[in-house]
Amino acid sequence: MPIVEVKNLTVDFGPKSKPVRAVAGVDLHLAKGETLALLGESGSGKSVTLRSLMRLHPKSARTGGSMQVDERDVLAMPYGDLARYRGSIVSMIFQDPGLALDPVYRVGDQIAEAVVRHEGTSFKQGRARALELFERVRIPSPERRLDNYPHEMSGGMRQRAMIALALACNPKVLLADEPTTALDATVQIQVLLLLRELQRELGLAVIFVTHDIGVAVEVADRIAVMYAGKIIEEGPCADVIRAPSHPYTKGLLASRADHSFEKGARLTAIPGTPPDLATLPPGCAFAPRCAVVLDACRNSTPPPALISRHHFARCIRSEPAAARQATV
Amino acid sequence: MSHIVDTMFPPEAEDRGGAATPLLAVNGLVKHFKAKNAVVRAVDGVDFHVAKGETLGIVGESGCGKSTIARLIMQIIAPDSGTLLFDGEPVGSAALPLGDFRKKVQMVFQDSYASLNPRMTVEDTIAFGPRVHGLSHKAAVTRAHDLLHRVGLEPSRFAGRYPHEISGGQRQRINIARGLSLEPRLLILDEAVSALDKSVEAQVLNLLLDLKDEFGLTYIFISHDLNVVRFMSDRVMVMYLGKVAEIGSSEPIFKKPRHPYTEALLASMPSMDPDNRTQEAPITGDPPNPINPPPGCRFHTRCKFVSAICANAEPVLHDVGGGQSAACHLANPQSGHPRLAAAA
């Protein structure tokens, strides 16, 4: 039984007469202790998918499909249950800890408050738990740092503090929305390694949203690539990186600057720009930019085609790995 | 674009110093910002040069001074001390007044939206600079359309649009076109592709390479993305807390860094191999605050090879051969660092 199961999730924003479909039918499943990376560019729907799992959208957003987390129906949850669910079953870390932490309270108190609210302990016990968490996320001189305000910490330390806050009530699922994007390179790798270690030791299920393939490879067991609100390719990390099947995934991997060190060479770029969600083409959303587009691509969205065990792509041209080998 | 060169810059005005004179030589550049009861040592004694036609990449983490250097070169802010020589002429001297210098050096910023005037059309934005510098309205508009074409945007579709009506990648192309509208010789790209989606970033990098060839430009390319800097740059300057840690030809630095900070920065890049993930962070902690930088070598608080000498004596850039210099006691055999004695 997967701990997260999302079926045909759709999220619409804007007026009903002119909706913008940010998520257009996403299926996801996540086992206990597994890390899934949602990889995509801005506007691909990766963050919206993540926020749906916490029901963080404004009231005007319309969500369809079904979401089961730890055997709870997230969409049917009344508000009181939702408050208990957030933080103790599922918690989230964000790109900018400076915005996610309250600037006028000491960081230690913010963590203690969450523990008191969710577990009904005394404030003193909450602070003790906060200290334990600060040690766990390896903040140097943790006793002193608990009394810091967020602005007194460096970027890397604030991100560690936010991870501590997210773990305060022993969640089973951690949602990470680009948590290392704003960090410097030498700090980013430290935070990635910390998240990997915590995930392993606490048996967390993690959904990690990122636009950086390198970051996804460092943390994920599986990678799901999103484009225009749909998962267009998904599979075990190594399969997606080494044998990408969808032209978009192939293009993303080929356009990385580290693939061609030859001076004066040009990068293999994907032409065009990501589509406007309000005016999506009828067929495959990637068709206008695709180098190997067929007429059929413009008519209907291809269903997921299985390439190998657990690896699929939404592309007409995708073939099972076995068949591909046979034709070579 | 020869007709434009004719109208603005007579050819004999170009390349005064000859090929051997660096296009830009920076000496002893210092900029300290006064904060409340503190001094931020943003740029603290930096020397470098950029040869004609090359791309100098500047890398480093936040607070290392890379953007401050860009602003100092552009004369957006005044240095506390230090000199700039542009093609052998001191900037601001009678031979090269500031107004002339500004035509020859242009900049593209990270935020493509914030750096455009929201109330000006694309055409007006690009034509504005040439008009201010004396071109007729008609000629400036012709130039704007020509440049739009060169950066891959059809003038008939884009000239009349406003910044909010176009995508981020297209806006950055507009910023590049505006940067080129005065026919500069040096273009400073300060994190110019960092905010773009990966699929669009590759297009803009290709465009920058093409424009460089076409217009004979020289680039200063500032980025935190080491892959991109490696791809774009002939030479690289690595900065740490307002100082140059290492500078030299790009490939030797990426293949065999001689400063432990450069090494750590390279090792911090995520591995692209799922079977060979990073197991240990190359360095711990955040970069220290440039308000009170550590004494001696500024990197010594995070360096795995630290010894007593590093906290006491500040290393200077030492030529290690192959056009590569590193400001580390380990790079200088005469420094007396204990590891050198142990290795000998």
Side-chain angles (χ1 to χ4, degrees):
Chain A
M1 179 76 191
I3 188 152
V4 177
E5 189 153 37
V6 175
K7 280 187 182 148
N8 197 24
L9 177 73
T10 57
V11 182
D12 291 339
F13 293 108
K16 277 204 176 104
S17 54
K18 234 175 81 185
V20 173
R21 179 149 282 196
V23 177
V26 159
D27 297 303
L28 272 185
H29 62 95
L30 190 68
K32 276 181 190 154
E34 193 182 26
T35 303
L36 171 75
L38 273 184
L39 184 71
E41 299 182 309
S42 46
S44 62
K46 55 193 194 304
S47 290
V48 178
T49 302
L50 204 66
R51 274 149 209 248
S52 304
L53 284 164
M54 288 272 266
R55 283 200 25 212
L56 289 177
H57 297 310
K59 278 204 180 104
S60 59
R62 296 172 297 283
T63 309
S66 73
M67 287 186 288
Q68 298 275 331
V69 176
D70 197 30
E71 295 172 32
R72 289 166 176 78
D73 183 343
V74 179
L75 285 176
M77 217 177 271
Y79 189 79
D81 289 356
L82 196 58
R84 279 188 289 279
Y85 161 82
R86 290 174 179 159
S88 59
I89 307 288
V90 179
S91 68
M92 189 153 174
I93 54 177
F94 300 88
Q95 178 171 343
D96 188 348
L99 293 176
L101 294 167
D102 193 321
V104 300
Y105 292 97
R106 296 176 196 278
V107 177
D109 292 353
Q110 296 186 42
I111 297 176
E113 187 193 4
V115 177
V116 172
R117 166 70 181 74
H118 276 282
E119 296 180 2
T121 62
S122 71
F123 192 76
K124 207 176 152 197
Q125 285 168 308
R127 283 282 293 202
R129 173 93 179 118
L131 178 61
E132 197 184 299
L133 287 159
F134 263 38
E135 283 164 354
R136 180 105 221 195
V137 299
R138 286 205 222 93
I139 290 178
S141 34
E143 295 91 344
R144 191 166 61 81
R145 288 294 178 180
L146 280 177
D147 285 331
N148 272 177
Y149 291 95
H151 75 271
E152 295 175 308
M153 294 178 151
S154 66
M157 205 178 293
R158 268 206 296 266
Q159 199 55 275
R160 285 172 193 267
M162 186 162 64
I163 294 169
L165 175 59
L167 299 178
C169 303
N170 300 307
K172 295 176 179 175
V173 180
L174 181 67
L175 307 176
D177 191 359
E178 305 248 13
T180 62
T181 305
L183 301 177
D184 281 321
T186 58
V187 181
Q188 164 170 284
I189 194 72
Q190 296 173 41
V191 173
L192 289 178
L193 292 176
L194 173 70
L195 283 169
R196 220 162 72 192
E197 176 193 314
L198 292 169
Q199 184 273 331
R200 198 173 51 232
E201 286 176 11
L202 305 175
L204 286 166
V206 179
I207 303 182
F208 196 107
V209 160
T210 180
H211 69 278
D212 186 328
I213 301 175
V215 167
V217 172
E218 283 287 358
V219 295
D221 303 313
R222 283 189 296 136
I223 293 181
V225 185
M226 288 193 74
Y227 190 80
K230 286 195 169 71
I231 293 178
I232 51 102
E233 180 156 7
E234 188 191 315
C237 182
D239 293 9
V240 174
I241 297 303
R242 298 210 180 107
S245 176
H246 196 285
Y248 175 67
T249 320
K250 284 181 185 168
L252 268 191
L253 282 161
S255 66
R256 285 176 58 95
D258 51 340
H259 264 247
S260 91
F261 294 136
E262 223 174 296
K263 278 280 165 289
R266 295 294 180 271
L267 294 171
T268 344
I270 304 173
T273 46
D276 180 356
L277 294 174
T279 54
L280 277 184
C284 170
F286 187 63
R289 303 175 75 188
C290 185
V292 292
V293 64
L294 301 171
D295 282 343
C297 299
R298 303 187 201 276
N299 301 328
S300 64
T301 309
L306 205 63
I307 295 147
S308 60
R309 220 167 109 81
H310 308 304
H311 182 188
F312 71 82
R314 278 176 182 271
C315 178
I316 295 183
R317 287 177 175 271
S318 287
E319 299 169 4
R324 197 162 43 190
Q325 266 166 2
T327 56
V328 170
Chain B
M1 216 169 192
S2 53
H3 62 286
I4 289 171
V5 176
D6 293 340
T7 54
M8 280 209 79
F9 304 115
E12 61 268 27
E14 296 286 280
D15 204 7
R16 297 186 221 194
T21 310
L23 185 63
L24 183 75
V26 175
N27 283 304
L29 198 62
V30 174
K31 181 69 192 178
H32 293 176
F33 294 104
K34 311 263 179 311
K36 228 189 280 171
N37 312 323
V39 177
V40 182
R41 296 163 174 272
V43 175
D44 212 9
V46 168
D47 308 304
F48 65 93
H49 71 271
V50 192
K52 284 169 185 158
E54 78 170 358
T55 299
L56 175 73
I58 305 183
V59 294
E61 298 176 288
S62 46
C64 75
K66 53 192 195 300
S67 288
T68 305
I69 284 187
R71 277 150 213 266
L72 288 168
I73 295 171
M74 285 299 293
Q75 310 279 317
I76 298 173
I77 49 176
D80 294 345
S81 62
T83 56
L84 293 179
L85 293 180
F86 188 81
D87 203 1
E89 312 274 11
V91 173
S93 69
L96 184 61
L98 217 49
D100 288 356
F101 172 72
R102 286 211 163 108
K103 274 192 279 196
K104 296 179 181 178
V105 185
Q106 290 287 311
M107 185 157 167
V108 179
F109 299 85
Q110 173 168 5
D111 188 334
S112 66
Y113 192 64
S115 45
L116 291 171
N117 185 334
R119 291 165 48 138
M120 277 166 89
T121 61
V122 163
E123 177 184 289
D124 289 343
T125 296
I126 301 171
F128 191 85
R131 263 167 50 204
V132 168
H133 282 275
L135 219 60
S136 74
H137 177 78
K138 204 176 150 211
V141 169
T142 311
R143 175 176 301 186
H145 285 223
D146 191 6
L147 282 165
L148 275 175
H149 192 69
R150 308 257 167 163
V151 297
L153 300 173
E154 191 46 54
S156 59
R157 280 179 62 209
F158 288 93
R161 294 203 198 176
Y162 287 91
H164 72 270
E165 295 175 309
I166 52 184
S167 74
Q170 289 163 346
R171 275 201 300 268
Q172 207 56 304
R173 287 170 191 263
I174 307 288
N175 280 309
I176 292 167
R178 177 179 62 181
L180 296 176
S181 67
L182 291 168
E183 295 260 296
R185 298 177 68 189
L186 177 65
L187 196 61
I188 301 176
L189 301 147
D190 187 3
E191 301 274 8
V193 297
S194 307
L196 302 178
D197 280 322
K198 283 287 159 194
S199 70
V200 178
E201 178 187 272
Q203 296 169 11
V204 175
L205 290 176
N206 284 342
L207 172 69
L208 287 170
L209 289 177
D210 293 340
L211 293 170
K212 183 166 182 272
D213 288 350
E214 194 176 343
F215 294 116
L217 294 167
T218 302
Y219 286 159
I220 293 180
F221 189 90
I222 300 172
S223 177
H224 68 280
D225 186 332
L226 295 164
N227 288 324
V228 171
V229 168
R230 182 177 191 172
F231 174 72
M232 291 294 289
S233 308
D234 303 302
R235 283 165 66 245
V236 176
M237 177 160 92
V238 183
M239 292 197 64
Y240 190 76
L241 288 182
K243 296 260 184 195
V244 178
E246 184 159 5
I247 184 167
S249 303
S250 171
E251 279 314 294
I253 284 188
F254 279 97
K255 286 201 181 105
K256 196 174 178 233
R258 297 296 297 267
H259 196 290
Y261 175 63
T262 315
E263 199 183 328
L265 204 55
L266 292 172
S268 297
M269 294 201 297
S271 138
M272 275 299 287
D273 182 357
D275 294 332
N276 196 9
R277 290 171 167 180
T278 310
Q279 293 308 324
E280 204 182 334
I283 41 177
T284 55
D286 294 54
N289 197 320
I291 287 177
N292 275 316
C297 172
R298 293 191 175 185
F299 185 59
H300 86 263
T301 52
R302 300 170 84 196
C303 183
K304 58 182 171 181
F305 304 125
V306 63
S307 98
I309 183 180
C310 304
N312 298 324
E314 187 174 331
V316 292
L317 278 172
H318 183 82
D319 190 340
V320 295
Q324 190 179 358
S325 303
C328 173
H329 290 306
L330 284 171
N332 180 1
Q334 269 79 54
S335 69
H337 191 290
R339 277 183 68 90
L340 292 166

